[in-house]
Amino acid sequence: MFEVRPTSSAEEFGRAVDAIGQYFGGPLTEERIDRFRQVLPFDRMHAAFEDGAIIGGAGAFPFEFSVPGNVLRCGGISVVGVYPTHRRRGVLRAMMDAQLRDIHEREEPIAALWASEETIYGRFGYGLAAWCGEINLERVWNAYARPLEPRGRVRFVTPEEAARLFPPVWDALMRERPGVFQRTKAWWELRRLRIPDEEKANPKHLAVLELDGTVQAYAIYRQLPSFEDGSSNARLEVSEVIGTTPQATAEMWRFVLDIDWYATLSCSLLPVDHALFTLLATPRRARYRLGDSLWLRLVDVGAALSGREYATDGSIVFDVHDAVCPWNAGRWKLDGGSAVRTDATADLALDVGELGSAYLGAVSFAQLRDGLQVEELSDGAVERADAIFGWRPLPWCPEIF
Ligand SMILES: CC(C)(COP(=O)(O)OP(=O)(O)OC[C@H]1O[C@@H](n2cnc3c(N)ncnc32)[C@H](O)[C@@H]1OP(=O)(O)O)[C@@H](O)C(=O)NCCC(=O)NCCS
């Protein structure tokens, strides 16, 4: 038998995080654990114990997270792992149960995660709530469709300057798009801007675009050099280009696209509605490959539904199934942006995971109905729900956490 509870010491915390370390390779050093503790408090790291030994771990970053028209508290699920010696004995299920109850008690209405495999989290009420994709663009195809008159100036910055100049740009993205989590000062420094030892010989480049006297965009990228038959075959790995206006985004991307030597530019985690696809003259050449991004869980259906804005003020009644968090199960009426319990006849019957899929606006109820995941109980309910929930721009989470 095993028990699940939050960790309460550095030693327990390290061993619990080490459960996922079994799969990422390499032991966790004390230095890495120390860094991690600065973004994930002990009591947000659950561990499964058997006879005093830790056999699994599951963490939840205390996030502020953008949803349509608002920002909500959110459990950012991460470092979930079960030791290979104890797999398929219900350890993950027990940790998910304990973690969701903890998130509920903390009054975080939603939880979000990136899934290592799409088959794991649906059973715990998480739904696929955002898409993203990777591009691999050969330099020869980097032209824009329309001429661009750059007005700003690009300059490189140190990590210390970046820690001051990048966050306001990121915060603007958070106001613009659902799916963005707030980066704390420690997160910026330790997880985004720090140059790990293994990258010191070829560190990432940090650049800002100054326009009209302010920083309006930034870029983080690395050049990975290689030569073939005497010619450069380098890859330019772009990890983030974020701008506060269309002009700034277009100029920052132009700077990156024009860098010499690369043969292929790669960038992952781009949303389908990213400006690059309308800026480029030949977006087909970007060889965009779509995949799942965030998975979302409504931990408190009432608070979550009342916590976002909607495209219209319509009314709809959901019959929600939730086997893991029974406090959510039953009928909910969303009317004028507020959700309350109701005895009214339901328009749509669905699992809480499907409601999570529709929540950020990336997956429509029509798609869910066509995938046989939502039952339409009254005529036109799917169209009505889509008119209420639809949201632009689409959610975008530019970082795997
Ligand atoms: C994925 C992982 C956490 C599962 O842990 P586990 O303790 O073996 O899972 P459980 O025994 O609690 O399984 C719970 C349910 O999930 C299912 N499940 C577990 N892992 C699964 C997987 N990889 N794919 C599909 N289903 C899976 C089980 O079959 C079980 O289903 P059931 O309730 O219908 O019987 C573990 O295998 C692991 O650490 N994998 C490598 C790291 C990883 O992928 N972590 C997730 C990071 S996002």
Side-chain angles (χ1 to χ4, degrees):
M1 274 308 290
F2 57 88
E3 64 147 345
V4 174
R5 61 163 171 82
T7 63
S8 58
S9 68
E11 200 264 326
E12 283 183 358
F13 180 86
R15 281 194 289 139
V17 173
D18 218 16
I20 189 66
Q22 304 300 311
Y23 305 92
F24 269 121
L28 273 177
T29 59
E30 249 178 57
E31 191 203 343
R32 276 177 72 193
I33 290 170
D34 267 356
R35 270 202 307 276
F36 207 50
R37 283 172 49 191
Q38 295 185 50
V39 288
L40 182 65
F42 286 162
D43 63 345
R44 298 307 305 260
M45 186 71 208
H46 276 80
F49 296 80
E50 184 186 64
D51 300 330
I54 286 183
I55 54 174
F61 295 116
F63 278 160
E64 299 278 319
F65 184 89
S66 63
V67 299
N70 202 3
V71 170
L72 294 183
R73 295 172 65 221
C74 168
I77 311 310
S78 187
V79 287
V80 176
V82 170
Y83 276 71
T85 46
H86 288 75
R87 61 190 289 283
R88 305 304 181 269
R89 296 184 198 175
V91 176
L92 173 67
R93 179 170 288 281
M95 292 193 304
M96 288 287 111
D97 257 20
Q99 189 181 58
L100 283 168
R101 271 160 186 70
D102 186 46
I103 291 172
H104 188 233
E105 274 164 28
R106 291 172 187 274
E107 298 185 0
E108 291 166 345
I110 54 174
L113 57 82
W114 289 82
S116 61
E117 296 175 84
E118 300 109 305
T119 44
I120 300 176
Y121 291 99
R123 60 174 54 73
F124 305 120
Y126 288 84
L128 195 174
W131 303 96
C132 72
E134 174 178 344
I135 59 166
N136 280 286
L137 178 75
E138 285 169 43
R139 196 177 189 287
V140 65
W141 298 111
N142 74 2
Y144 277 174
R146 304 271 166 87
L148 175 74
E149 276 301 319
R151 294 198 289 114
R153 193 178 66 103
V154 175
R155 70 178 174 92
F156 289 116
V157 293
T158 62
E160 292 70 33
E161 270 181 290
R164 191 165 46 77
L165 299 176
F166 288 11
V169 177
W170 177 266
D171 294 347
L173 176 72
M174 198 172 166
R175 286 191 293 277
E176 183 202 336
R177 294 238 187 203
V180 186
F181 62 91
Q182 180 105 61
R183 287 177 176 157
T184 58
K185 191 169 177 292
W187 191 289
W188 272 107
E189 288 172 5
L190 301 172
R191 290 178 72 90
R192 216 57 200 144
L193 300 172
R194 194 181 64 87
I195 313 237
D197 286 345
E198 62 275 15
E199 283 178 21
K200 288 219 162 102
N202 178 22
K204 56 191 160 229
H205 296 267
L206 309 171
V208 293
L209 174 92
E210 285 164 330
L211 186 58
D212 302 328
T214 56
V215 169
Q216 294 195 11
Y218 72 79
I220 306 176
Y221 67 90
R222 278 178 86 204
Q223 179 85 272
L224 304 173
S226 81
F227 283 83
E228 202 175 292
D229 299 328
S231 301
S232 174
N233 195 27
R235 190 158 65 87
L236 194 80
E237 191 183 71
V238 178
S239 53
E240 240 170 62
V241 171
I242 311 277
T244 56
T245 64
Q247 177 73 20
T249 302
E251 288 194 29
M252 195 79 247
W253 263 107
R254 190 67 264 156
F255 165 77
V256 173
L257 288 161
D258 283 340
I259 289 171
D260 283 322
W261 272 23
Y262 75 84
T264 309
L265 177 151
S266 67
C267 183
S268 7
L269 316 186
L270 291 176
V272 183
D273 62 343
H274 194 278
L276 203 53
F277 301 116
T278 39
L279 284 167
L280 286 171
T282 52
R284 191 189 302 174
R285 298 287 181 171
R287 289 180 281 153
Y288 188 60
R289 185 184 60 79
L290 191 70
D292 55 307
S293 158
L294 289 173
W295 289 67
L296 202 85
R297 217 285 177 201
L298 305 192
V299 182
D300 180 331
V301 164
L305 289 181
S306 302
R308 61 156 279 190
E309 287 187 2
Y310 293 91
T312 60
D313 265 351
S315 167
I316 189 108
V317 176
F318 295 109
D319 189 5
V320 178
H321 311 293
D322 192 338
V324 180
C325 302
W327 56 85
N328 285 324
R331 273 169 282 167
W332 291 91
K333 179 175 187 173
L334 177 69
D335 190 14
S338 292
V340 288
R341 287 247 173 229
T342 182
D343 292 327
T345 314
D347 298 304
L348 291 173
L350 75 184
D351 192 85
V352 71
E354 275 73 65
L355 206 47
S357 281
Y359 187 73
L360 298 178
V363 179
S364 69
F365 286 96
Q367 256 181 306
L368 292 167
R369 175 201 54 203
D370 296 349
L372 310 182
Q373 295 178 20
V374 164
E375 199 185 340
E376 191 169 25
L377 303 172
S378 66
D379 282 351
V382 162
E383 281 66 28
R384 202 149 30 95
D386 276 334
I388 299 170
F389 276 69
W391 196 263
R392 289 293 182 273
L394 291 170
W396 180 19
C397 187
E399 183 184 356
I400 297 177
F401 51 80

